Amino acid sequence: MSYVATIDEREVTISIEELGGSNYKVAIDGVEHVVDAQRITGNLWSVLYGNESFEVDVTPLPAEEYEVLINGDCHKFTLMNEQRRAMIRAGGKGSAGKAMLTSPMPGKVVKLLVRPGDAVQAGDGVIVVEAMKMENELKAPAAGTVKEVRVEEGKPVSGGDVLVVIE
């Protein structure tokens, strides 16, 4: 799955491919790296890259922001998949005034926070998806009414799958 991270006004393209076990191929602006990442507990990860070991604490913040503490150094950035980024650049809506909330990567639906007919505000939690052993609460991209919930709790999803439609 491909993402765009915004770090201090600079956009970086990131793609992540699961290689099996705890190994991932991560490409940052086209430069590929293989890492071994294992969740220790909660938001705390152990990452091996090359001959170095890193303790990484990933804290999701509101509005698709993350704060990452790597061996004591703090980094803050926004992260969204390329589909979501394109939707925001187009005014946050898909066709016919619909906002389509998509899965950022393959994973499993852990919890549905809305039902069809529910009113939501931009930034409200809509669904929780577990991906890469981390739970991610996906938020409404715009205010509106939930028109469709296309997934069920406990079911797997693919990257890019439409999960919820908001109108």
PDB file of all heavy atoms in Angstrom, residues 124-140:
ATOM      1  N   ASP A 124     -14.703  12.693  13.217  1.00  0.00           N
ATOM      2  CA  ASP A 124     -15.306  11.703  14.128  1.00  0.00           C
ATOM      3  C   ASP A 124     -14.787  10.311  13.795  1.00  0.00           C
ATOM      4  O   ASP A 124     -14.618   9.960  12.625  1.00  0.00           O
ATOM      5  CB  ASP A 124     -16.834  11.681  13.988  1.00  0.00           C
ATOM      6  CG  ASP A 124     -17.524  12.862  14.643  1.00  0.00           C
ATOM      7  OD1 ASP A 124     -16.840  13.669  15.309  1.00  0.00           O
ATOM      8  OD2 ASP A 124     -18.759  12.983  14.466  1.00  0.00           O
ATOM      9  N   GLY A 125     -14.579   9.483  14.809  1.00  0.00           N
ATOM     10  CA  GLY A 125     -14.199   8.096  14.594  1.00  0.00           C
ATOM     11  C   GLY A 125     -15.344   7.343  13.934  1.00  0.00           C
ATOM     12  O   GLY A 125     -16.507   7.509  14.323  1.00  0.00           O
ATOM     13  N   VAL A 126     -15.013   6.521  12.916  1.00  0.00           N
ATOM     14  CA  VAL A 126     -16.036   5.805  12.166  1.00  0.00           C
ATOM     15  C   VAL A 126     -15.851   4.298  12.269  1.00  0.00           C
ATOM     16  O   VAL A 126     -16.807   3.548  12.414  1.00  0.00           O
ATOM     17  CB  VAL A 126     -16.000   6.248  10.680  1.00  0.00           C
ATOM     18  CG1 VAL A 126     -16.941   5.417   9.842  1.00  0.00           C
ATOM     19  CG2 VAL A 126     -16.337   7.724  10.555  1.00  0.00           C
ATOM     20  N   ILE A 127     -14.596   3.850  12.205  1.00  0.00           N
ATOM     21  CA  ILE A 127     -14.311   2.420  12.165  1.00  0.00           C
ATOM     22  C   ILE A 127     -12.895   2.192  12.687  1.00  0.00           C
ATOM     23  O   ILE A 127     -12.031   3.051  12.538  1.00  0.00           O
ATOM     24  CB  ILE A 127     -14.483   1.882  10.722  1.00  0.00           C
ATOM     25  CG1 ILE A 127     -14.432   0.363  10.673  1.00  0.00           C
ATOM     26  CG2 ILE A 127     -13.485   2.509   9.782  1.00  0.00           C
ATOM     27  CD1 ILE A 127     -14.867  -0.205   9.313  1.00  0.00           C
ATOM     28  N   VAL A 128     -12.657   1.041  13.289  1.00  0.00           N
ATOM     29  CA  VAL A 128     -11.311   0.681  13.756  1.00  0.00           C
ATOM     30  C   VAL A 128     -10.849  -0.525  12.950  1.00  0.00           C
ATOM     31  O   VAL A 128     -11.536  -1.546  12.906  1.00  0.00           O
ATOM     32  CB  VAL A 128     -11.292   0.354  15.272  1.00  0.00           C
ATOM     33  CG1 VAL A 128      -9.891  -0.041  15.711  1.00  0.00           C
ATOM     34  CG2 VAL A 128     -11.795   1.551  16.084  1.00  0.00           C
ATOM     35  N   VAL A 129      -9.687  -0.373  12.286  1.00  0.00           N
ATOM     36  CA  VAL A 129      -9.111  -1.431  11.470  1.00  0.00           C
ATOM     37  C   VAL A 129      -7.744  -1.787  12.044  1.00  0.00           C
ATOM     38  O   VAL A 129      -6.939  -0.903  12.346  1.00  0.00           O
ATOM     39  CB  VAL A 129      -8.958  -0.987   9.993  1.00  0.00           C
ATOM     40  CG1 VAL A 129      -8.266  -2.062   9.171  1.00  0.00           C
ATOM     41  CG2 VAL A 129     -10.314  -0.655   9.396  1.00  0.00           C
ATOM     42  N   GLU A 130      -7.505  -3.093  12.214  1.00  0.00           N
ATOM     43  CA  GLU A 130      -6.185  -3.547  12.662  1.00  0.00           C
ATOM     44  C   GLU A 130      -5.365  -3.881  11.421  1.00  0.00           C
ATOM     45  O   GLU A 130      -5.790  -4.660  10.568  1.00  0.00           O
ATOM     46  CB  GLU A 130      -6.306  -4.785  13.540  1.00  0.00           C
ATOM     47  CG  GLU A 130      -4.962  -5.282  14.032  1.00  0.00           C
ATOM     48  CD  GLU A 130      -5.095  -6.550  14.861  1.00  0.00           C
ATOM     49  OE1 GLU A 130      -5.452  -6.437  16.045  1.00  0.00           O
ATOM     50  OE2 GLU A 130      -4.858  -7.637  14.299  1.00  0.00           O
ATOM     51  N   ALA A 131      -4.200  -3.248  11.313  1.00  0.00           N
ATOM     52  CA  ALA A 131      -3.294  -3.500  10.198  1.00  0.00           C
ATOM     53  C   ALA A 131      -1.869  -3.484  10.727  1.00  0.00           C
ATOM     54  O   ALA A 131      -1.521  -2.633  11.543  1.00  0.00           O
ATOM     55  CB  ALA A 131      -3.473  -2.440   9.117  1.00  0.00           C
ATOM     56  N   MET A 132      -1.062  -4.409  10.282  1.00  0.00           N
ATOM     57  CA  MET A 132       0.335  -4.522  10.731  1.00  0.00           C
ATOM     58  C   MET A 132       0.410  -4.574  12.263  1.00  0.00           C
ATOM     59  O   MET A 132       1.239  -3.941  12.885  1.00  0.00           O
ATOM     60  CB  MET A 132       1.178  -3.378  10.186  1.00  0.00           C
ATOM     61  CG  MET A 132       1.371  -3.453   8.687  1.00  0.00           C
ATOM     62  SD  MET A 132       2.286  -2.086   7.960  1.00  0.00           S
ATOM     63  CE  MET A 132       3.663  -1.891   9.063  1.00  0.00           C
ATOM     64  N   LYS A 133      -0.560  -5.288  12.872  1.00  0.00           N
ATOM     65  CA  LYS A 133      -0.608  -5.497  14.314  1.00  0.00           C
ATOM     66  C   LYS A 133      -0.844  -4.207  15.102  1.00  0.00           C
ATOM     67  O   LYS A 133      -0.518  -4.122  16.269  1.00  0.00           O
ATOM     68  CB  LYS A 133       0.669  -6.193  14.805  1.00  0.00           C
ATOM     69  CG  LYS A 133       0.900  -7.535  14.133  1.00  0.00           C
ATOM     70  CD  LYS A 133       2.211  -8.144  14.568  1.00  0.00           C
ATOM     71  CE  LYS A 133       2.512  -9.366  13.736  1.00  0.00           C
ATOM     72  NZ  LYS A 133       3.827  -9.869  13.923  1.00  0.00           N
ATOM     73  N   MET A 134      -1.410  -3.185  14.437  1.00  0.00           N
ATOM     74  CA  MET A 134      -1.705  -1.927  15.106  1.00  0.00           C
ATOM     75  C   MET A 134      -3.142  -1.530  14.787  1.00  0.00           C
ATOM     76  O   MET A 134      -3.576  -1.609  13.642  1.00  0.00           O
ATOM     77  CB  MET A 134      -0.747  -0.836  14.616  1.00  0.00           C
ATOM     78  CG  MET A 134      -0.848   0.442  15.407  1.00  0.00           C
ATOM     79  SD  MET A 134       0.578   1.483  15.084  1.00  0.00           S
ATOM     80  CE  MET A 134      -0.180   2.678  14.010  1.00  0.00           C
ATOM     81  N   GLU A 135      -3.900  -1.100  15.812  1.00  0.00           N
ATOM     82  CA  GLU A 135      -5.269  -0.665  15.591  1.00  0.00           C
ATOM     83  C   GLU A 135      -5.278   0.793  15.155  1.00  0.00           C
ATOM     84  O   GLU A 135      -4.625   1.636  15.762  1.00  0.00           O
ATOM     85  CB  GLU A 135      -6.100  -0.847  16.861  1.00  0.00           C
ATOM     86  CG  GLU A 135      -6.398  -2.303  17.149  1.00  0.00           C
ATOM     87  CD  GLU A 135      -7.362  -2.508  18.301  1.00  0.00           C
ATOM     88  OE1 GLU A 135      -7.891  -1.513  18.851  1.00  0.00           O
ATOM     89  OE2 GLU A 135      -7.592  -3.683  18.650  1.00  0.00           O
ATOM     90  N   ASN A 136      -6.021   1.075  14.084  1.00  0.00           N
ATOM     91  CA  ASN A 136      -6.129   2.423  13.541  1.00  0.00           C
ATOM     92  C   ASN A 136      -7.592   2.837  13.511  1.00  0.00           C
ATOM     93  O   ASN A 136      -8.400   2.173  12.867  1.00  0.00           O
ATOM     94  CB  ASN A 136      -5.581   2.472  12.102  1.00  0.00           C
ATOM     95  CG  ASN A 136      -4.135   2.056  12.046  1.00  0.00           C
ATOM     96  OD1 ASN A 136      -3.274   2.780  12.478  1.00  0.00           O
ATOM     97  ND2 ASN A 136      -3.874   0.860  11.515  1.00  0.00           N
ATOM     98  N   GLU A 137      -7.917   3.924  14.199  1.00  0.00           N
ATOM     99  CA  GLU A 137      -9.275   4.449  14.144  1.00  0.00           C
ATOM    100  C   GLU A 137      -9.344   5.373  12.941  1.00  0.00           C
ATOM    101  O   GLU A 137      -8.641   6.378  12.877  1.00  0.00           O
ATOM    102  CB  GLU A 137      -9.627   5.213  15.415  1.00  0.00           C
ATOM    103  CG  GLU A 137     -11.052   5.737  15.390  1.00  0.00           C
ATOM    104  CD  GLU A 137     -11.435   6.467  16.660  1.00  0.00           C
ATOM    105  OE1 GLU A 137     -11.879   5.803  17.608  1.00  0.00           O
ATOM    106  OE2 GLU A 137     -11.279   7.704  16.683  1.00  0.00           O
ATOM    107  N   LEU A 138     -10.181   5.017  11.970  1.00  0.00           N
ATOM    108  CA  LEU A 138     -10.344   5.833  10.777  1.00  0.00           C
ATOM    109  C   LEU A 138     -11.442   6.844  11.040  1.00  0.00           C
ATOM    110  O   LEU A 138     -12.474   6.520  11.620  1.00  0.00           O
ATOM    111  CB  LEU A 138     -10.675   4.954   9.578  1.00  0.00           C
ATOM    112  CG  LEU A 138      -9.664   3.834   9.299  1.00  0.00           C
ATOM    113  CD1 LEU A 138     -10.083   3.030   8.079  1.00  0.00           C
ATOM    114  CD2 LEU A 138      -8.273   4.393   9.108  1.00  0.00           C
ATOM    115  N   LYS A 139     -11.215   8.062  10.580  1.00  0.00           N
ATOM    116  CA  LYS A 139     -12.097   9.169  10.904  1.00  0.00           C
ATOM    117  C   LYS A 139     -12.868   9.651   9.684  1.00  0.00           C
ATOM    118  O   LYS A 139     -12.418   9.505   8.554  1.00  0.00           O
ATOM    119  CB  LYS A 139     -11.267  10.306  11.484  1.00  0.00           C
ATOM    120  CG  LYS A 139     -10.415   9.814  12.656  1.00  0.00           C
ATOM    121  CD  LYS A 139     -10.051  10.894  13.597  1.00  0.00           C
ATOM    122  CE  LYS A 139      -9.162  10.388  14.712  1.00  0.00           C
ATOM    123  NZ  LYS A 139      -9.861   9.717  15.751  1.00  0.00           N
ATOM    124  N   ALA A 140     -14.014  10.251   9.928  1.00  0.00           N
ATOM    125  CA  ALA A 140     -14.837  10.794   8.853  1.00  0.00           C
ATOM    126  C   ALA A 140     -14.079  11.924   8.162  1.00  0.00           C
ATOM    127  O   ALA A 140     -13.607  12.842   8.830  1.00  0.00           O
ATOM    128  CB  ALA A 140     -16.157  11.316   9.414  1.00  0.00           C
TER     129      ALA A 140
END
